Amino acid sequence: MDMTMCLKSLLLAIQQHRDCMSTQTTAKLQKQVEELSGLKCDQLLSSGKMLPSECVSGLVEVAGNPNSCPVLVGTIVALLAQLAHDEDSREMLHSSYNLTSTLASVIHQHSATPGEPLVLQCLQVLQKLTYNTRVFHSTNYIHELIAFLMTNIQSHNDDITMPCLGLMANLCRYNHSIQGHIKSLDNVKAFYRTLVNFLAHNSLTVVVFTLSILAGLTLNDKVGEKLFDAKNIHQTFQLVFNIIVNGDGTLTRKYSVDLLVDLLKSPKIADYLTRYEHFSACVSQVMGLLHGKEPDSAAKVLELLLAVCSVSGLRALLCGVVFQPAGPRLRAGLGRRPGAGRDGGPKPEQPGVSLLRWLSGPLESAESCSLKALQLFSELLEEALAGDSVSPCVLSFVEMLLPALLELLKGLRLAQGDAQLRRHCLRTTHVTHLLILLCGEDQTRALVSRQVGAQLCLSQVESLLACCQDNSPLTSQPHGSDGDHVQVFAEAVLKTLDLMSKLRGQVKDMETSFYRMLQDQRMVSPFSVALTSHHRDTVQTGLALLVEATPLPDFPSLILGESIAANNAYRQRELELSVKRVAVEEVPPTRSFTLSDSSNSSTKSVNSLIEKMQNGFELQEPGEDVRVSEIIDVYEQKLSALAAKESRLQDLLEAKALALSQADRLIAQNRQQKAQAEAEARQLGSLLKEAARRREQLQAELGSQVQEVERSRADTQELLQHNGRLQQDSLEHQALKGAYNTLLSRFSEAEQQLKDLHTSQASLTKQTDALRRSHEALRLQHDKTVSVLEERESKVKSLQSDLQQRGDDITALREQLKAGEVQAKEKERERRELEETVDMLRKELNKTEQARKDANIRASSLELQKDQVAVKLKQKEDELNKHSAMIAMIHSLSSGKTKNDLSL
């Protein structure tokens, strides 16, 4: 069956069941729900159509009706669980269709039988809906749901305990109102004791859920200080890391990572983790999960590593783990293919290599993994490059990283869809940001400049500008500040130009390409989007590039100003339209059909006119005296008028369609609010009955608590007496301990002195032997010296005669030295003249360099002008060809007319 027909049949069955709730309508509705479940309905909620929205609203209303059949409700809940396959669909079901309160009401209706399959099914769907989603304290049936969860957690029924713990962990996370409500309950202490007992459970999933609940409720209380103090926190760290590495599955790993991320937000616990001695080993094991795991597990691991990077004391330790040196075999493999080997091959020797593999993953399957890996590399390299010198391990890792980054910049094709182009531009922005970060240091900038070419950057900017031109803000409707395609394209363009600016002095032809792209008129759109952006970094990047661009001769400053003004006016118009859409009332659907029929008729008339223009000259009679130019003018006027009319009708049709969808949405919301009001009225009646029963129970509990207080007073007195005896024993123990420590210190000092005396005696004995041997050697040396002295006296006499002769030679040499000094002065004067000549040459060289730079700018502008002139020349040639064809046609017509006249 077709999806549309199935939805229409389902909507009809819902209306019949709503009007008359009988066995036949229930069976028919259940059959329609089962047929829809058999179809592929993953994109049903994200389609944005009215028919699926109406069907889902009706199903939620039927599921929340207390008179509905439990089997039918179970089938509807199974279908809704099938629809909640991604994060956007879960958010839509939670916020737009109020499914959370509906499922909570179903659980409250069947709270007497918690082991029923319908209750377990609702708990599982609620756990999926409330993950990473804040549930408001004022939501219907939330108090009843919390009471149900606390009661069944303490019931020790393993079948229902685990889903209750998971749902309670979701509700307690980042929700202070629900945390305060749970803390204000009377049985919260018994609930705490049950949770502490669950910490010894044999299921790791139960332990993780329990720790998440305790962290959400007691992290900043006295109970949390005892649970997560300095004595227990290291065991908790080891337990959580073991669960992450050796968990039962993806769900357990997901909640374990969330627990550790929440604990790291506490400065005290983050400080404890910086002093944890096994942190490096645990992080290495966690990073081992990136090898051969599915994208969901890898995304959670990367989320944990990013949270670790937010702690300044841990980021340096994480750098030491990631940037370990790789083996030669691994480096060779990465040089061949950076993104290969995810599933097979040898186990990686370097923890950061798995990050490289997820970095190069496809955008369709692991977009979050690729972007998170890029963010992690940015954080780690920022820390590694912040020091005075760059480690050789970091440089070798950057050499492996650069080919993978440059590979990510390729593959942009305009034929891809908008979502794929947006994902590629986001990844391009992160890659260029990482390359700009590497350009901050001289050594890494040299590595980048050797591998990044001017042609790569130029082609990347050309492709991005083509995308930006196709998604102009004046022709495409933005989807919000985060989802705007134009904003993403503009950020990617400006980041690439910023990278070219950083490398223009090191890469050949980069400077010419940079100035050429700044003077391109297509840069007006990225500049206008960046300067009117809400992101601080984008505005700063745009301003920095604008400072470089404004002095250039061909920069379109006036067009940029007009584009910024038009962009602001467009945003103001969108704001006014969004305000008007809220106040739109219901519009009859027949109006839209009339408009569509008129639009179709105008389209048919335009097509007929085009056919007449193509075939008109063949149908003319030879005797008619009509000019071709006048016919063309008439047809052009009619075509422009019809096109303007068609555009106005199309705008009116879109406005009416929006109004109709808004009206239908308001009707659905009104129905939901009416059902909620009826449920609240029933809830108030039940609350009055429960309050009366609660008052009687409190009176009975008050008497028992008075007896407990008296017993506790007697126990307190006994404890105080026992505490006094323990204090006396402690004082005696401290005194004995001090005496023992003094005797031990005196014994150690005496033993040390004895060792020092033995060593000094041995050294003195050695010195005496050495002095005796040296004395005998000196005596023999003295005898030899006397004999040598006599020989030297005879030599002295001969040397005196030689000395006198040398004196005469010295006087002659002094005269030669004076002459050499005169020559040295002349050489010094010549050196000074040469230095002045060199200074003049340097000044001329600087002037030549500045002239070369101006010539590059003029060359880029002339090249741009040449391209513009070529385009204009091509346009003129096309016009000339058209005129030639027209003249030829006129000549042919006029020649035919002349022949007819001659025949007459």
Side-chain angles (χ1 to χ4, degrees):
M1 184 183 292
D2 187 22
M3 177 64 73
T4 305
M5 295 300 297
C6 184
L7 290 175
K8 289 181 179 179
S9 301
L10 176 62
L11 185 59
L12 180 61
I14 291 172
Q15 293 175 354
Q16 292 176 356
H17 182 270
R18 185 187 300 153
D19 296 337
C20 178
M21 192 177 298
S22 62
T23 306
Q24 296 178 354
T25 57
T26 302
K28 183 179 179 181
L29 179 57
Q30 185 171 357
K31 180 181 178 182
Q32 294 296 329
V33 172
E34 290 174 352
E35 289 181 357
L36 183 60
S37 301
L39 299 176
K40 186 178 180 182
C41 52
D42 295 339
Q43 306 296 328
L44 192 63
L45 289 177
S46 59
S47 62
K49 297 180 180 178
M50 197 61 206
L51 184 58
S53 176
E54 184 70 21
C55 290
V56 174
S57 300
L59 290 176
V60 172
E61 182 180 354
V62 172
N65 193 345
N67 298 322
S68 298
C69 177
V71 179
L72 175 62
V73 173
T75 308
I76 293 174
V77 171
L79 175 61
L80 295 175
Q82 183 180 352
L83 294 178
H85 64 283
D86 58 350
E87 187 175 354
D88 295 335
S89 300
R90 290 193 294 269
E91 175 64 25
M92 193 178 300
L93 287 172
H94 171 73
S95 59
S96 301
Y97 298 98
N98 203 15
L99 183 58
T100 303
S101 62
T102 302
L103 294 178
S105 66
V106 174
I107 293 174
H108 178 63
Q109 293 167 13
H110 300 82
S111 58
T113 56
E116 188 177 350
L118 177 61
V119 177
L120 295 175
Q121 187 180 11
C122 292
L123 287 174
Q124 292 172 358
V125 177
L126 272 177
Q127 184 179 354
K128 184 187 295 186
L129 283 178
T130 57
Y131 179 72
N132 276 344
T133 302
R134 185 177 180 182
V135 180
F136 291 103
H137 182 257
S138 58
T139 306
N140 293 331
Y141 295 101
I142 287 298
H143 293 177
E144 291 79 1
L145 178 62
I146 293 173
F148 175 83
L149 295 176
M150 294 179 67
T151 303
N152 287 277
I153 287 173
Q154 300 178 61
S155 65
H156 301 288
N157 185 2
D158 293 337
D159 294 334
I160 198 172
T161 298
M162 188 175 295
C164 288
L165 285 172
L167 180 55
M168 181 65 81
N170 292 342
L171 295 177
C172 293
R173 193 181 184 202
Y174 303 146
N175 202 328
H176 297 291
S177 60
I178 290 181
Q179 292 173 7
H181 172 71
I182 294 174
K183 293 177 185 178
S184 64
L185 297 176
D186 297 332
N187 57 345
V188 67
K189 293 183 179 179
F191 181 61
Y192 284 162
R193 285 194 293 269
T194 304
L195 292 177
V196 172
N197 293 331
F198 276 139
L199 295 177
H201 202 273
N202 54 1
S203 175
L204 296 179
T205 307
V206 173
V207 175
V208 170
F209 287 161
T210 304
L211 283 174
S212 300
I213 298 171
L214 289 172
L217 293 176
T218 67
L219 189 59
N220 299 319
D221 296 342
K222 293 181 180 180
V223 180
E225 292 178 358
K226 294 179 181 179
L227 288 174
F228 303 102
D229 60 351
K231 297 179 181 179
N232 301 328
I233 193 64
H234 288 246
Q235 298 177 358
T236 304
F237 288 150
Q238 188 64 46
L239 175 64
V240 174
F241 278 118
N242 287 337
I243 294 174
I244 293 174
V245 176
N246 305 314
D248 297 337
T250 306
L251 181 67
T252 307
R253 185 173 294 112
K254 183 188 299 184
Y255 278 87
S256 303
V257 171
D258 293 339
L259 171 62
L260 195 53
V261 170
D262 294 342
L263 291 177
L264 285 177
K265 292 181 180 180
S266 174
K268 186 177 180 181
I269 297 179
D271 183 60
Y272 287 151
L273 187 57
T274 56
R275 291 178 287 178
Y276 181 51
E277 57 182 353
H278 303 296
F279 174 75
S280 299
C282 292
V283 169
S284 300
Q285 292 178 357
V286 170
M287 295 189 70
L289 296 174
L290 296 174
H291 182 68
K293 287 291 181 182
E294 60 273 9
D296 293 336
S297 296
K300 296 307 292 184
V301 171
L302 292 172
E303 181 181 349
L304 175 60
L305 295 177
L306 285 172
V308 170
C309 286
S310 63
V311 182
S312 59
L314 297 177
R315 190 158 57 173
L317 298 176
L318 189 58
C319 287
V321 175
V322 174
F323 298 133
Q324 289 178 356
R329 181 181 61 184
L330 184 60
R331 189 173 301 175
L334 278 175
R336 290 192 301 270
R337 185 181 178 188
R342 182 182 298 178
D343 298 329
K347 188 177 181 180
E349 301 176 10
Q350 184 182 11
V353 173
S354 300
L355 289 175
L356 284 178
R357 287 169 180 153
W358 285 108
L359 182 74
S360 306
L363 286 174
E364 292 83 0
S365 61
E367 175 193 0
S368 60
C369 295
S370 180
L371 296 182
K372 286 178 181 178
L374 286 170
Q375 294 174 5
L376 183 60
F377 277 128
S378 299
E379 294 284 343
L380 295 177
L381 287 173
E382 183 179 0
E383 177 70 22
L385 300 177
D388 298 334
S389 62
V390 184
S391 172
C393 299
V394 177
L395 291 177
S396 63
F397 191 85
V398 170
E399 291 179 357
M400 292 191 298
L401 178 63
L402 283 176
L405 293 179
L406 298 182
E407 190 68 26
L408 296 180
L409 294 177
K410 302 176 183 178
L412 179 61
R413 295 185 298 273
L414 299 180
Q416 296 173 341
D418 291 340
Q420 182 70 11
L421 288 175
R422 182 180 181 277
R423 287 193 291 265
H424 183 87
C425 290
L426 279 175
R427 193 161 69 173
T428 301
T429 303
H430 285 83
V431 170
T432 51
H433 174 72
L434 187 54
L435 292 174
I436 291 169
L437 183 64
L438 292 175
C439 292
E441 289 290 333
D442 295 337
Q443 296 175 331
T444 53
R445 189 192 301 118
L447 295 176
V448 174
S449 61
R450 284 201 294 266
Q451 300 196 31
V452 177
Q455 186 61 35
L456 175 63
C457 296
L458 189 61
S459 62
Q460 188 71 17
V461 175
E462 290 284 351
S463 302
L464 291 172
L465 284 177
C467 294
C468 189
Q469 190 173 6
D470 292 340
N471 293 271
S472 175
L474 298 178
T475 59
S476 63
Q477 184 179 1
H479 301 286
S481 59
D482 295 333
D484 190 4
H485 290 27
V486 182
Q487 179 74 26
V488 175
F489 295 145
E491 289 180 1
V493 171
L494 295 180
K495 282 290 183 182
T496 309
L497 285 175
D498 194 10
L499 177 63
M500 296 174 68
S501 175
K502 301 290 184 184
L503 297 175
R504 57 182 171 175
Q506 288 79 24
V507 180
K508 183 181 178 182
D509 297 334
M510 184 68 80
E511 186 176 10
T512 305
S513 303
F514 175 66
Y515 287 123
R516 177 186 174 185
M517 294 313 303
L518 285 181
Q519 297 177 91
D520 197 333
Q521 289 190 357
R522 292 176 297 175
M523 285 298 300
V524 170
S525 178
F527 270 126
S528 63
V529 172
L531 295 177
T532 57
S533 174
H534 300 291
H535 301 287
R536 182 183 305 171
D537 296 337
T538 306
V539 176
Q540 291 177 355
T541 305
L543 288 175
L545 293 173
L546 188 62
V547 170
E548 295 282 345
T550 47
L552 299 178
D554 294 333
F555 181 72
S557 303
L558 296 177
I559 301 176
L560 176 60
E562 294 177 358
S563 178
I564 293 174
N567 213 353
N568 292 331
Y570 178 77
R571 290 187 177 183
Q572 182 66 27
R573 178 173 170 269
E574 284 294 320
L575 181 62
E576 293 175 357
L577 287 177
S578 64
V579 173
K580 290 179 180 179
R581 287 168 188 161
V582 177
V584 172
E585 295 181 355
E586 185 177 358
V587 179
T590 57
R591 184 70 173 175
S592 61
F593 297 148
T594 304
L595 291 174
S596 62
D597 294 337
S598 63
S599 177
N600 293 330
S601 62
S602 64
T603 305
K604 292 179 181 177
S605 63
V606 171
N607 293 330
S608 64
L609 283 176
I610 292 173
E611 292 178 358
K612 288 179 181 179
M613 285 190 66
Q614 292 176 351
N615 304 322
F617 301 114
E618 298 177 358
L619 298 176
Q620 284 182 357
E621 295 181 358
E624 289 180 355
D625 190 8
V626 181
R627 286 188 176 182
V628 177
S629 60
E630 293 178 357
I631 294 173
I632 293 174
D633 291 338
V634 171
Y635 283 164
E636 286 179 350
Q637 291 177 2
K638 290 183 178 180
L639 284 173
S640 61
L642 288 172
K645 184 178 180 181
E646 182 183 5
S647 63
R648 289 195 298 271
L649 290 174
Q650 188 67 28
D651 293 339
L652 186 59
L653 178 61
E654 292 178 356
K656 296 302 181 182
L658 287 174
L660 179 61
S661 64
Q662 183 69 23
D664 292 338
R665 193 178 297 109
L666 290 174
I667 292 172
Q669 291 178 358
N670 187 14
R671 290 173 180 171
Q672 293 177 1
Q673 291 176 0
K674 184 178 180 181
Q676 291 177 3
E678 294 176 355
E680 289 176 356
R682 291 191 297 269
Q683 180 185 1
L684 289 175
S686 63
L687 285 175
L688 290 175
K689 296 179 181 178
E690 291 178 0
R693 290 195 299 268
R694 183 65 178 166
R695 182 178 60 82
E696 296 175 357
Q697 292 176 0
L698 288 175
Q699 288 180 353
E701 290 177 359
L702 182 61
S704 61
Q705 287 180 359
V706 170
Q707 296 177 359
E708 289 181 0
V709 168
E710 293 177 354
R711 288 196 297 268
S712 62
R713 286 178 182 175
D715 294 338
T716 304
Q717 294 296 330
E718 293 179 358
L719 288 174
L720 290 173
Q721 294 175 2
H722 183 63
N723 190 15
R725 291 193 297 271
L726 289 176
Q727 288 179 357
Q728 292 178 0
D729 294 341
S730 176
L731 293 174
E732 293 177 359
H733 176 70
Q734 292 293 336
L736 292 173
K737 193 174 182 180
Y740 171 74
N741 290 332
T742 54
L743 290 174
L744 187 61
S745 61
R746 287 174 60 188
F747 174 74
S748 61
E749 290 175 358
E751 189 176 3
Q752 185 65 32
Q753 289 176 1
L754 182 60
K755 290 180 180 179
D756 294 340
L757 290 174
H758 281 300
T759 54
S760 62
Q761 182 184 2
S763 62
L764 288 174
T765 304
K766 291 180 182 179
Q767 289 177 4
T768 304
D769 296 337
L771 288 173
R772 186 181 296 109
R773 288 192 297 271
S774 63
H775 177 68
E776 293 176 357
L778 288 173
R779 183 181 295 171
L780 295 174
Q781 188 177 1
H782 180 267
D783 295 338
K784 291 179 182 179
T785 303
V786 171
S787 61
V788 171
L789 186 59
E790 292 176 356
E791 294 177 0
R792 294 292 174 86
E793 285 179 356
S794 61
K795 289 183 181 180
V796 165
K797 291 179 181 180
S798 63
L799 288 173
Q800 285 178 354
S801 60
D802 294 339
L803 184 61
Q804 188 173 2
Q805 186 177 359
R806 295 289 176 84
D808 297 337
D809 295 337
I810 287 172
T811 55
L813 290 172
R814 284 180 178 174
E815 293 177 358
Q816 293 179 2
L817 181 62
K818 290 180 180 180
E821 289 178 353
V822 173
Q823 293 178 358
K825 290 181 180 179
E826 293 178 359
K827 296 289 184 181
E828 181 68 22
R829 181 175 55 78
E830 292 177 359
R831 185 182 65 78
R832 291 177 181 174
E833 292 177 356
L834 288 175
E835 287 180 353
E836 293 176 357
T837 306
V838 168
D839 293 337
M840 294 174 64
L841 290 175
R842 285 177 180 171
K843 293 179 181 178
E844 292 179 0
L845 182 61
N846 292 331
K847 292 179 181 179
T848 305
E849 181 68 21
Q850 184 64 30
R852 182 191 66 79
K853 186 175 180 180
D854 297 337
N856 286 334
I857 296 175
R858 288 197 297 273
S860 62
S861 62
L862 287 174
E863 186 175 356
L864 181 62
Q865 292 176 3
K866 183 192 74 174
D867 297 336
Q868 295 176 355
V869 169
V871 172
K872 291 181 180 179
L873 183 60
K874 187 175 180 181
Q875 294 177 356
K876 294 295 183 181
E877 290 178 354
D878 296 336
E879 293 178 1
L880 184 59
N881 293 330
K882 291 180 182 179
H883 287 299
S884 299
M886 187 66 70
I887 290 170
M889 186 181 298
I890 294 171
H891 278 298
S892 64
L893 292 174
S894 61
S895 62
K897 186 187 295 186
T898 304
K899 291 180 180 179
N900 293 330
D901 294 339
L902 289 175
S903 64
L904 290 173

